[in-house]
Amino acid sequence: MVDEAVSRRQLRQQQRRRLIIEGVAIAVIGIFLMAVVPSLLPAFRLKLLGRFLSLAIVALGIDLIWGYTGLLSLGHGIFFALGGYSFAMHLKLQIPEGQLPDFFTLYGVDQLPFFWYPYYSFPLTLILLVLVPALVAGILGYLVFRNRIKGVYFSILTQAALIVFFNFFNGQQKLINGTNGLKTDTAELFGQVVSSPRMQWQFYQITVVAVIVVYLLCRWLTSGRFGRLLVAIRDDENRVRFSGYNPTWFKLVVFSVSGGIAGVAGALYTVQSGIITPAFMQVPFSIEMVIWVAVGGRGTLVGPIIGAVLVRFAQTLLSERFPEFWLFFQGALFLLVVTALPKGLMGLGELPWLQGLFSRPSLDRAVSYPRLAVDPDIQQERERLGDTSSEL
Amino acid sequence: MQNHILEIDNLTVSFDGFKALNNLNFTMNTGELRVIIGPNGAGKTTFLDVITGKVQPTEGTVRFKGRNLRNISEHHISRLGIGRKFQTPRVYLNLSVRDNLDLAWVRRKNVFATLLTSPKKGDRRTVTGLLETVGLTAKADLKAALLSHGEKQRLEIGMLVAQSPELLLVDEPVAGLTDEETENVGNLLLSLAEHHSIIVIEHDMEFVRQIARQVTVLHQGSVLCEGSMNQVQNDPRVIEVYLGKAPSVSAEQLLILRIAAAMAWADGNFAPEQMQVILTRLSKQFASDPEQQAELKTELQNYLSQEIALEALIPELSSESDRLQVLKLSYEIIRSNTINEYENRVYQKLLSLLDLPEHQVKSIEAEIEAGFSSLSLDDYLQQ
């Protein structure tokens, strides 16, 4: 008992130390991204980085539902676009009172569709760009999870929903300008043009803050009992059910949160790229999101951020030189990760041949698994016998 | 009525016309430890599925503490106080042993409580106690994936206990365990039975004998028979479903044979040749033509190959003629070689248990002695 108390205390100290290191690291990276990077990169590259960081946010959302809870969503484009449209609608409404956004006149619409009205208010828009995707995810999730649809059927259903949404948005010229989407570049917000360098610099800063906030939210969600329960659902949902939990609600909450996060990402991406169109709800884009997470390392929170930013940078660099080449590269990357690096870049450290490169070979290395030498029962026994020799 | 923790009436479950459970009736008292056995496909696991809400009954009702469980979802049934252990250990492989237990132990299991509460000091103490109960203290902070099969079985039982259910359903807890681990799990179950009602489903007969008080035999979706382990083992219907063939002797005759076998085992030394002799003798006793005798001999070998206590068997004898026959056979068996000290003691016990008039005992002994003195052992064998 005493031994255990001591080891518990050590464990807690270790955890606290790790938490401090993590906090410091986040602060340093945050300050670096916000204060140093803008002066290092040209405006064009900075805008790119801002976009990639907003994609990192949706990657975090996907990791929550896929990496932790084990549900592969191929429909996050819906939530991403819903967030983007929400913000774009608000920007479109920044016009003199009594006027309609320009595209409506093309289709002979003289009355603003009812669902545009809430977007006149900026605070309401901020709420809606999270709430709308979260609600849509919640409703979709309720139908799917209540009927205990799991695994590949869940993935197919989310993809089907994605196609439904794409077709709807693509066809409704009179409601949201259909396939042309909503341009935000020339709109004004707080008296400034959205595409102006000053505004873009601000959006970049907001994006960095948003990444940190979403990271902390995910960190909080995944660290306590709730996070352990998500892992438990991934490991054995029936056991969870027979232990007295209702997995439906847990999955629903996570899916909603994940959708809301995607909405934030969509809004930030839209204002930094200047347009939102139904193309964001095409199948390949949502699959690409999953690839970022897989490449970075699912089930970790740093992985998806690194994955999204790195893959996107690679895409930019490669397609600048070989425009036709990128898709092949992306496919190859995904194959490589699935076959050789199941834990993504975050799992690099666990590869035996890499470990061999960086650490001295020692006899204590695992020969069998799990290795005998670290078996707690054996260690305890050894301590009891006073055996301090280590010539194993 | 109040005393029944579980009542099942006319339960039928059919999957596309196939009746996995057929008109099954079952009741169990609070605090009971019940073992359910039955050949493969008897409906044992479906039986648990219905109680835990995984499968809905086609007809009939399942009542837990008087409450009908129809249309109640699994997690609600679990919260009512029914815990279930699956056939293969089902634990959360990517969580530590401690976290596995903590998740099972927590009382408030809705989303918000899970999100907003963290393990308190009291919770940790309870979990530490549980770790001790299942003997996994040293491995508390390892991922469950690193545990051995037996440790996972114990962890899952620990998770069950953590839920503190009133009724535990345990599906084949010792499948794939070593003898030592089996005994550990058996002791764990027996100590749990002091405070819980438990249903155990099991194939391993040794294990069933270790823990069983009441046994229910399922066959083709219905209850075939119920009773103590010995009653069940002597029931010709049970033997038939397990060995695929009805025994050619009646239940009473089988009982006599078992007692005779127990006498043969008395000195703990039952040489194969000796067994052959006795089997030949016994088969002659109960069958007339040689073919039948040979058949009976192999059959007997199946029934008699284990040791059973006399005290459990003799009270089951109903008529005096059966008692006399037991005495006769038993004396013959121990007399077939020289009677040693130990055999004598068991024989004296048999006599006191049989409780026959002394003159009858004397006359039977004399009769057999006479037979032996006129023959050498070789002659006896040839006879």
Side-chain angles (χ1 to χ4, degrees):
Chain A
M1 280 310 279
V2 178
D3 284 350
E4 210 209 345
V6 170
S7 74
R8 285 295 292 170
R9 202 179 309 136
Q10 278 175 342
L11 204 72
R12 229 171 300 146
Q13 272 175 350
Q14 216 177 359
Q15 280 171 347
R16 201 172 304 141
R17 208 175 309 131
R18 267 194 218 143
L19 217 58
I20 292 169
I21 293 173
E22 192 183 345
V24 170
I26 291 172
V28 168
I29 293 172
I31 291 168
F32 178 75
L33 282 174
M34 291 174 84
V36 183
V37 172
S39 57
L40 292 177
L41 290 176
F44 167 66
R45 293 273 177 220
L46 188 68
K47 201 168 155 182
L48 278 184
L49 181 59
R51 272 150 70 173
F52 300 162
L53 285 174
S54 23
L55 296 179
I57 296 175
V58 69
L60 276 171
I62 293 207
D63 191 32
L64 212 51
I65 188 76
W66 184 38
Y68 283 90
T69 324
L71 297 158
L72 175 58
S73 163
L74 296 178
H76 262 54
I78 299 173
F79 317 125
F80 185 87
L82 284 175
Y85 269 103
S86 295
F87 206 12
M89 280 157 83
H90 174 70
L91 293 173
K92 276 289 180 195
L93 288 172
Q94 303 305 302
I95 40 176
E97 208 161 318
Q99 282 187 19
L100 288 183
D102 45 12
F103 67 89
F104 279 127
T105 52
L106 288 176
Y107 309 115
V109 178
D110 51 8
Q111 179 79 39
L112 196 65
F114 70 95
F115 62 90
W116 279 70
Y117 283 101
Y119 293 99
Y120 270 119
S121 149
F122 182 68
L124 206 54
T125 301
L126 287 188
I127 295 172
L128 287 176
L129 69 83
V130 180
L131 201 63
V132 170
L135 268 180
V136 171
I139 292 166
L140 185 65
Y142 181 72
L143 296 175
V144 172
F145 300 139
R146 203 193 52 155
N147 293 314
R148 303 202 178 162
I149 292 165
K150 286 191 282 192
V152 73
Y153 300 100
F154 172 76
S155 305
I156 291 170
L157 265 173
T158 50
Q159 192 165 69
L162 182 73
I163 294 167
V164 168
F165 269 80
F166 170 75
N167 285 329
F168 178 79
F169 275 72
N170 215 25
Q172 297 298 319
Q173 275 87 357
K174 292 183 179 182
L175 295 178
I176 28 83
N177 202 18
T179 185
N180 299 318
L182 304 176
K183 280 185 85 118
T184 61
D185 261 351
T186 51
E188 282 186 20
L189 188 63
F190 301 125
Q192 292 181 41
V193 179
V194 167
S195 60
S196 69
R198 196 177 142 67
M199 204 65 187
Q200 287 297 318
W201 181 83
Q202 280 167 354
F203 280 132
Y204 168 79
Q205 300 291 9
I206 293 170
T207 306
V208 175
V209 173
V211 172
I212 294 174
V213 169
V214 170
Y215 173 87
L216 292 177
L217 172 73
C218 293
R219 187 76 174 70
W220 176 64
L221 284 177
T222 55
S223 57
R225 267 185 190 146
F226 187 79
R228 291 198 285 273
L229 198 88
L230 297 186
V231 175
I233 289 175
R234 190 185 69 193
D235 280 352
D236 198 329
E237 192 174 333
N238 266 330
R239 179 75 265 170
V240 171
R241 200 169 271 133
F242 287 114
S243 296
Y245 294 93
N246 186 356
T248 306
W249 293 110
F250 286 88
K251 293 199 284 190
L252 193 124
V253 165
V254 177
F255 196 48
S256 280
V257 169
S258 173
I261 289 174
V264 173
L268 289 167
Y269 190 84
T270 300
V271 291
Q272 291 179 89
S273 62
I275 190 164
I276 175 82
T277 72
F280 287 104
M281 286 191 270
Q282 276 176 342
V283 170
F285 184 57
S286 291
I287 293 178
E288 211 181 305
M289 296 177 186
V290 171
I291 295 179
W292 303 329
V293 179
V295 168
R298 62 188 162 126
T300 68
L301 290 176
V302 183
I305 300 177
I306 295 177
V309 174
L310 272 187
V311 173
R312 268 292 162 134
F313 254 114
Q315 177 177 8
T316 312
L317 293 179
L318 267 171
S319 34
E320 275 169 11
R321 303 194 180 183
F322 323 98
E324 300 301 311
F325 198 62
W326 166 246
L327 279 179
F328 293 103
F329 179 77
Q330 183 176 289
L333 188 66
F334 190 60
L335 279 180
L336 181 81
V337 167
V338 168
T339 53
L341 266 179
K343 286 185 177 172
L345 294 173
M346 296 306 284
L348 269 180
E350 291 169 29
L351 287 180
W353 55 273
L354 258 184
Q355 272 184 342
L357 281 184
F358 293 116
S359 61
R360 276 178 299 136
S362 88
L363 287 173
D364 207 24
R365 179 76 42 75
V367 193
S368 62
Y369 183 84
R371 63 185 120 169
L372 204 56
V374 294
D375 188 315
D377 276 337
I378 290 174
Q379 275 178 342
Q380 222 177 37
E381 208 157 282
R382 228 191 250 174
E383 272 164 36
R384 218 180 19 245
L385 296 171
D387 177 11
T388 50
S389 66
S390 57
E391 60 264 24
L392 244 179
Chain B
M1 219 42 188
Q2 272 302 307
N3 221 1
H4 288 166
I5 193 162
L6 194 67
E7 293 165 82
I8 295 176
D9 293 319
N10 289 319
L11 179 66
T12 300
V13 173
S14 68
F15 299 116
D16 297 328
F18 168 72
K19 286 183 173 168
L21 293 179
N22 190 2
N23 230 335
L24 184 144
N25 290 293
F26 180 90
T27 47
M28 189 176 147
N29 292 330
T30 309
E32 198 178 323
L33 170 65
R34 181 74 67 95
V35 179
I36 294 182
I37 59 173
N40 287 325
K44 296 177 304 250
T45 300
T46 311
F47 181 70
L48 293 195
D49 284 348
V50 175
I51 298 173
T52 51
K54 197 177 173 203
V55 169
Q56 284 295 324
T58 316
E59 273 169 56
T61 53
V62 178
R63 282 175 199 282
F64 173 65
K65 293 196 292 181
R67 184 171 172 177
N68 193 342
L69 295 182
R70 186 181 278 271
N71 291 332
I72 301 183
S73 57
E74 292 103 315
H75 63 276
H76 279 302
I77 290 179
S78 155
R79 287 184 203 171
L80 287 178
I82 298 182
R84 173 173 188 181
K85 196 208 152 305
F86 290 93
Q87 213 162 329
T88 46
R90 303 272 287 265
V91 296
Y92 312 129
L93 297 177
N94 285 300
L95 294 178
S96 72
V97 172
R98 195 189 296 279
D99 291 340
N100 266 286
L101 290 171
D102 179 65
L103 279 184
W105 183 77
V106 179
R107 281 295 90 87
R108 290 161 66 213
K109 292 180 171 171
N110 62 54
V111 176
F112 294 102
T114 311
L115 198 52
L116 299 175
T117 61
S118 53
K120 302 278 177 309
K121 203 165 189 175
D123 300 1
R124 283 202 296 268
R125 208 174 305 132
T126 317
V127 170
T128 308
L130 282 167
L131 283 167
E132 243 162 78
T133 313
V134 294
L136 289 172
T137 308
K139 298 193 170 176
D141 294 305
L142 280 192
K143 269 191 182 183
L146 296 176
L147 298 182
S148 72
H149 182 73
E151 286 166 339
K152 281 181 198 152
Q153 294 277 35
R154 270 186 284 150
L155 173 58
E156 199 182 2
I157 293 177
M159 287 165 73
L160 266 201
V161 179
Q163 283 170 242
S164 68
E166 289 170 60
L167 175 63
L168 281 116
L169 309 175
V170 188
D171 200 349
E172 296 198 22
V174 297
L177 296 191
T178 63
D179 289 351
E180 193 192 343
E181 283 172 328
T182 301
E183 208 183 319
N184 282 340
V185 170
N187 291 334
L188 185 58
L189 284 176
L190 284 174
S191 68
L192 290 177
E194 286 165 21
H195 305 288
H196 302 81
S197 314
I198 306 184
I199 292 180
V200 181
I201 284 187
E202 194 43 73
H203 265 315
D204 181 336
M205 285 301 157
E206 277 303 310
F207 180 68
V208 173
R209 214 166 283 122
Q210 182 193 347
I211 64 166
R213 293 158 204 181
Q214 281 294 99
V215 180
T216 298
V217 186
L218 287 192
H219 180 53
Q220 292 176 344
S222 312
V223 173
L224 186 70
C225 75
E226 239 169 29
S228 72
M229 189 65 195
N230 280 319
Q231 285 170 338
V232 165
Q233 269 193 318
N234 286 327
D235 193 308
R237 288 171 302 171
V238 177
I239 294 165
E240 185 180 357
V241 302
Y242 265 95
L243 297 174
K245 205 174 76 173
S248 46
V249 293
S250 71
E252 291 78 38
Q253 287 175 323
L254 193 64
L255 185 63
I256 295 168
L257 289 174
R258 275 182 191 281
I259 296 172
M263 289 308 295
W265 274 105
D267 56 356
N269 169 21
F270 198 11
E273 313 83 64
Q274 203 183 345
M275 180 140 135
Q276 281 306 320
V277 173
I278 290 165
L279 285 176
T280 314
R281 259 321 262 149
L282 290 178
S283 58
K284 272 184 193 161
Q285 194 96 30
F286 290 102
S288 43
D289 70 281
E291 210 168 293
Q292 245 180 331
Q293 281 172 10
E295 213 170 283
L296 185 60
K297 219 169 107 176
T298 44
E299 204 177 308
L300 289 176
Q301 213 153 0
N302 281 326
Y303 305 149
L304 304 183
S305 52
Q306 64 245 346
E307 192 175 1
I308 302 164
L310 281 175
E311 289 89 335
L313 294 169
I314 291 180
E316 313 247 329
L317 290 169
S318 47
S319 68
E320 181 157 323
S321 63
D322 284 349
R323 285 161 197 264
L324 285 175
Q325 196 165 11
V326 163
L327 180 66
K328 203 168 154 193
L329 271 174
S330 305
Y331 193 72
E332 253 186 50
I333 284 166
I334 57 166
R335 184 60 186 73
S336 65
N337 52 1
T338 45
I339 302 175
N340 63 26
E341 169 87 15
Y342 193 78
E343 279 177 330
N344 188 38
R345 204 147 7 114
V346 176
Y347 181 69
Q348 291 310 321
K349 191 164 86 181
L350 178 76
L351 284 183
S352 72
L353 283 167
L354 283 174
D355 198 23
L356 287 166
E358 205 173 325
H359 65 92
Q360 274 180 329
V361 177
K362 285 273 183 281
S363 71
I364 286 173
E365 281 179 6
E367 193 184 312
I368 294 167
E369 284 295 343
F372 271 108
S373 56
S374 64
L375 291 164
S376 67
L377 186 60
D378 285 339
D379 297 335
Y380 173 72
L381 285 179
Q382 280 156 11
Q383 190 182 12

